[in-house]
Amino acid sequence: MVQQTLEVVKATELKEKPDPATLKFGRQFSDHMFMMDYSAVDGWHQPRVVPYQPLELDPSAMVFHYGQSVFEGLKAYRSADGNILLFRPEENFRRLNESCDRLCIPQVNEEAMLEYLKELVKLDKDWVPSEVGTSLYIRPFIISTEPTLDVSPARAYTLMIILSPVGSFYKGGIDPVGIFVEDEYTRSAPGGTGYAKTAGNYSGAYKAQERASTHGKAQVLWLDGVEKKYIEEVGSMNVFFKINGEIHTPALSGSILDGITRKSVIELLESNGMNVRQRQISMDELIAANEAGSLQEVFGTGTAAVISPVGRLEYKGQDYVINGSEMGETARWLHETLVGIQTGEQEDPFGWTIVLET
Amino acid sequence: MVQQTLEVVKATELKEKPDPATLKFGRQFSDHMFMMDYSAVDGWHQPRVVPYQPLELDPSAMVFHYGQSVFEGLKAYRSADGNILLFRPEENFRRLNESCDRLCIPQVNEEAMLEYLKELVKLDKDWVPSEVGTSLYIRPFIISTEPTLDVSPARAYTLMIILSPVGSFYKGGIDPVGIFVEDEYTRSAPGGTGYAKTAGNYSGAYKAQERASTHGKAQVLWLDGVEKKYIEEVGSMNVFFKINGEIHTPALSGSILDGITRKSVIELLESNGMNVRQRQISMDELIAANEAGSLQEVFGTGTAAVISPVGRLEYKGQDYVINGSEMGETARWLHETLVGIQTGEQEDPFGWTIVLET
């Protein structure tokens, strides 16, 4: 697959930028978007940047009926000196292709996608906010568009990238959240789609999220789909535990997401001499560690929150408090370091950030 | 919820009807479609029949990203005397609401939906083909349309019904199919979305379907997501076994579809004095029964094929032939009886069919 020439059609009128102080997640979009189509004859073709606009699809378009849809999420950050930084974007396109494989969607040229993404963000560079905690959220996604009710992989797709300025995840400072350990609903089982960023994984989780909310908890802690015994993820984040000074996280089993923040956290800890054990972790072990006083920290990792400390968890009708419901030192250090690298405030010894030349 | 007045906007130009001899499944659509919208303020509102036309959606419409989407499938049949018959359509709207509940989509008024459906089919009655084996496939579906990347149940939806004339499933007579027993990929696990007709269940199954094809098999036989031991479904059909003269089918466990053809088959057999055992059935038991010569028939049930006999199955690298790869007498009787009732050729003692007054 050779990189194809990017066609750019600029918007004739630019939208008013939203007030950075009132930004919500994923509700406002920039002036342009990227599109590329797939057909069986031409493969992925006609990469283009066009004004942000509605999509027109036949009511029989397969995505509506059979959910062949994958996506990614990453952010562009404004550094103090006015540069725009991307954080490990090549990892997103690598994972997009893994999701494509699981959903029988034709894979994309990762290098070309990165170039297209850069061009799009450069064109809409004024949409990258500069206030502390803000960023430009980037959403690449692919949907099946073939107009047929046949239950089989589509022969036509559209890939798009849309951009949305987002506010700080932690408006009033970082407050540890409560999580509800879900032992009835299942997010994914071995052999399922759990490791893929595909649409159905998310809406299938809403019912459990509603249940967590009725228990006054912000997020669901998912257990494995087979024994309902081992920890998988928190909401749509990966999860880490500090037990007796050592960091533990569920191993990539095929049913959890291969998070880029997860991977960065592991690399960051290991490069600072800390051992991270990726393994099966049972709820029983966790509760025992908490009761013995050796469970020091619990935190989620993801693109939206970066690090999200957990202060309480409810399991089988009982509430457990973690670390006095305070953010732990490891979570705080990870958050500061990662955000520091992402925004260019700290040195990036890993080569994780890409500076856009605007 | 009160039934609201149906607005009808007729197409000014009617499309040419396709040749009934070359009809494929779900590729051509009738002149009109039904639409209804949901908003948090108005609930389900503005039911309308409009000319079949493309949908316009924001690229951030939630269905593309998080897959909140449910659907149904049923058929309208043309009887020999020219009437149009619907088969148990109220069961489809009952199940649609069950799917809605699992996906956190607001439920619909089932009685009103049935009336709207009747009006739509009456208007497009010339699209119900009359050749043997043909029918008008009816696809109700709901998609989330709210333009936001927030991971939570949407506050805006569209419900649509589209109509597609379909040819005979068995063009060259009924030929038993081969199935591949999938012991790696998982369709659904307890606590998942398996019983719901939601988009993600279908695309998540494509990978296994591809694997079955490479083994020369037409369909996947799904095993349970926990032990990979118990039989669930065949492709997107329910499955029945005749062992020693008795009929067995997997019990509704939450991870398989509550099929309307399945239910009709059970009621038909029981009303004819046959016992149907709904229970857990292991592959080991099935293979042992086949080797002992007591496995007499295997067949799938679903709206598309009605009854689909299975002639061979491949399990852990070995091929097993069922009933000499011939269609069994029970499958044949069920197929003739069900199709007879659906098309009005046979008496309908169950009150399953609704005759449309056109």
Side-chain angles (χ1 to χ4, degrees), chain A residues 284-305:
Chain A
D284 287 348
E285 178 192 341
L286 200 70
I287 298 296
N290 193 49
E291 305 218 313
S294 53
L295 177 62
Q296 298 158 300
E297 295 188 40
V298 178
F299 54 91
T301 65
T303 295

Side-chain angles (χ1 to χ4, degrees), chain A residues 173-211:
Chain A
I174 301 182
D175 204 15
V177 298
I179 58 179
F180 180 80
V181 183
E182 176 58 57
D183 55 5
E184 183 185 324
Y185 292 112
T186 300
R187 179 181 171 277
S188 182
T193 59
Y195 70 87
K197 274 189 96 74
T198 182
N201 287 346
Y202 293 79
S203 51
Y206 289 167
K207 197 81 179 167
Q209 179 62 42
E210 282 194 349
R211 192 172 173 216

Side-chain angles (χ1 to χ4, degrees), chain B residues 167-219:
Chain B
S168 174
F169 196 85
Y170 298 112
K171 286 219 161 61
I174 300 182
D175 205 14
V177 297
I179 57 179
F180 180 79
V181 184
E182 176 58 57
D183 55 5
E184 183 186 323
Y185 292 112
T186 299
R187 181 182 168 277
S188 182
T193 58
Y195 70 87
K197 275 189 96 74
T198 181
N201 287 345
Y202 293 79
S203 50
Y206 288 166
K207 197 80 180 167
Q209 179 61 40
E210 282 194 349
R211 192 172 173 215
S213 297
T214 64
H215 286 254
K217 301 297 185 291
Q219 297 272 356

Side-chain angles (χ1 to χ4, degrees), chain B residues 37-197:
Chain B
D37 300 313
Y38 177 90
S39 70
V41 172
D42 295 322
W44 285 110
H45 64 279
Q46 209 196 342
R48 58 202 186 273
V49 169
V50 295
Y52 190 90
Q53 60 192 280
L55 277 177
E56 209 176 75
L57 286 171
D58 195 89
S60 69
M62 294 176 100
V63 64
F64 298 135
H65 304 271
Y66 309 126
Q68 224 185 345
S69 164
V70 295
F71 72 89
E72 275 300 322
L74 68 160
K75 286 175 170 178
Y77 302 88
R78 177 79 68 180
S79 68
D81 55 9
N83 280 329
I84 294 172
L85 304 178
L86 295 175
F87 184 72
R88 310 189 82 172
E90 69 286 356
E91 291 285 342
N92 292 93
F93 292 116
R94 174 191 60 75
R95 190 171 60 185
L96 183 69
N97 269 343
E98 281 174 16
S99 298
C100 282
D101 176 69
R102 181 62 182 81
L103 273 293
C104 300
I105 295 174
Q107 296 191 330
V108 298
N109 179 330
E110 299 174 22
E111 293 72 30
M113 283 310 307
L114 182 54
E115 293 310 310
Y116 301 145
L117 170 62
K118 287 180 185 172
E119 291 308 312
L120 175 67
V121 176
K122 277 187 206 174
L123 182 62
D124 277 354
K125 63 183 193 299
D126 293 342
W127 284 86
V128 185
S130 56
E131 286 71 14
V132 172
T134 64
S135 58
L136 184 70
Y137 182 79
I138 300 166
R139 168 59 56 92
F141 65 105
I142 303 175
I143 54 172
S144 51
T145 55
E146 191 182 349
T148 171
L149 300 180
D150 226 7
V151 185
S152 61
R155 287 164 299 186
Y157 301 86
T158 295
L159 183 157
M160 304 183 69
I161 306 177
I162 56 177
L163 307 175
S164 174
V166 295
S168 174
F169 196 85
Y170 298 112
K171 286 219 161 61
I174 300 182
D175 205 14
V177 297
I179 57 179
F180 180 79
V181 184
E182 176 58 57
D183 55 5
E184 183 186 323
Y185 292 112
T186 299
R187 181 182 168 277
S188 182
T193 58
Y195 70 87
K197 275 189 96 74

